[in-house]
Amino acid sequence: MQKLRLRYTKRGRLRFTSHRDIARTFERALRRAGVPMAYSQGFSPHPKVSWVGAAPTGVASEAEYVEVSVVERVDPVALKAALDEALPPGIDVVDVVQSTGGNLTERIDASEWRVELDGVEPDALAEAVRALLAADAVEVERLTKDGKRVIDVRPAVVSALVEPRSSDAGHDDTALSRPCGILVTVVRQVTPTVRPDDVLNALRVVAGLVPPVPARATRMAQGRLDDEGRLVDPLQQDKES
C-alpha cells in the first residue's frame, strides 16, 4: 500500500462549504480520476482518506492537508493533474508527495491566518493588536452546541501584526480609498481550538474593536513552529527524502 499526502486550497465561494461536503467532493474526484483507492475492512468499507486539521466553514485556506492510501503505486505528478481536472474551481491541489512515514498530524501545531477587516483603520487595528499581545489572558465567549463556553485566547496567539495593504489590490482605486486593516497572526493549536473569530473577539475585549462588516479570513499555512516561531512545511520531510 502507498500513502500519498496532498496539500490543497479552499478558495472563493467554497469557503462557505462544510468540511463534510468538501470531503465528499474530494472522494468523488478520486473516483472520477480513477485512483486505485485502498478501502477499510468490514461490513461497510470506505476509502482510506485521512483529513488533517480542516478549516472551519466560512474560512478560506491555502493550506489544507489530506492523506490518501492506494493499492497500486501512483505517480504524484500524475495524481495532481488528474485531481485538478476532476475537482471544482476553488479546490486546487498544490502539492502531492509520497509519505515517508510518521504521523502528519504531529507535524502541525500552528496555523498562520490572514484576516481582512474592511472598514477598520490599520492604525486602530495595530493599537488593538498591541493591547492583545500585552495582555496575560483574554477570555472570550464561544457559543457551542452545549451552550456558551469561555476560552482564554491569549496563550494560543504566537504572533500578530498588521500587514500593509497592497497598492495594486485589484487595481480598484475605490477599494483602496476605503480603510482596511489586515491582520496576520500565527495561532498555536490548543484545546479548545482557537479560531480566527476568537482572535477578533479578543481584539474586541481588549480594545473595543468591532469591524463594521464580517471579516474575511484565510489560512495561509500550517506546520510545526521552529525555534524562531516560523512554520515549517509539514511536507518538507517527505520532499527531502
Side-chain angles (χ1 to χ4, degrees):
M1 186 182 299
Q2 180 189 25
K3 181 180 289 184
L4 298 155
R5 290 170 169 165
L6 290 69
R7 174 184 173 185
Y8 68 95
T9 68
K10 187 175 72 165
R11 297 170 174 155
R13 297 179 65 181
L14 284 182
R15 69 184 184 277
F16 299 112
T17 303
S18 70
H19 172 63
R20 178 175 293 182
D21 287 336
I22 291 287
R24 289 172 178 165
T25 299
F26 220 101
E27 290 180 9
R28 285 196 295 267
L30 288 166
R31 290 196 294 271
R32 286 197 297 270
V35 179
M37 297 297 301
Y39 282 79
S40 63
Q41 302 297 314
F43 181 75
S44 180
H46 58 272
K48 291 190 174 182
V49 179
S50 300
W51 303 91
V52 181
T57 303
V59 172
S61 180
E62 294 294 313
E64 298 297 285
Y65 292 90
V66 62
E67 291 182 308
V68 175
S69 295
V70 295
V71 294
E72 298 175 11
R73 188 157 294 276
V74 173
D75 175 40
V77 175
L79 176 60
K80 179 181 182 301
L83 284 177
D84 273 336
E85 183 71 23
L87 287 165
I91 303 179
D92 300 308
V93 179
V94 179
D95 271 326
V96 180
V97 299
Q98 179 172 309
S99 167
T100 57
N103 189 327
L104 183 59
T105 302
E106 293 178 354
R107 300 183 193 174
I108 297 175
D109 62 12
S111 295
E112 178 185 307
W113 298 95
R114 184 178 188 272
V115 186
E116 297 181 38
L117 303 168
D118 282 332
V120 173
E121 293 286 353
D123 288 346
L125 177 58
E127 183 177 346
V129 167
R130 285 192 293 269
L132 172 62
L133 296 179
D136 294 325
V138 182
E139 293 186 337
V140 303
E141 285 189 347
R142 177 191 294 173
L143 185 62
T144 71
K145 63 180 180 180
D146 299 318
K148 289 184 178 180
R149 182 175 186 179
V150 176
I151 61 173
D152 183 5
V153 171
R154 182 62 188 90
V157 179
V158 177
S159 64
L161 56 86
V162 178
E163 179 182 280
R165 193 176 189 186
S166 174
S167 61
D168 62 351
H171 302 285
D172 186 344
D173 293 336
T174 302
L176 289 173
S177 67
R178 298 193 297 266
C180 179
I182 300 175
L183 171 67
V184 177
T185 181
V186 174
V187 179
R188 195 187 307 273
Q189 291 186 354
V190 294
T191 303
T193 302
V194 172
R195 304 176 304 208
D197 56 321
D198 296 318
V199 177
L200 294 181
N201 283 336
L203 294 177
R204 175 185 55 79
V205 170
V206 299
L209 185 75
V210 180
V213 296
R216 297 188 301 276
T218 302
R219 175 149 58 190
M220 304 304 296
Q222 294 191 71
R224 181 164 290 280
L225 290 163
D226 64 15
D227 293 339
E228 298 180 2
R230 295 175 300 190
L231 290 177
V232 178
D233 179 1
L235 302 184
Q236 180 176 321
Q237 182 176 324
D238 301 301
K239 294 175 182 177
E240 293 175 348
S241 299

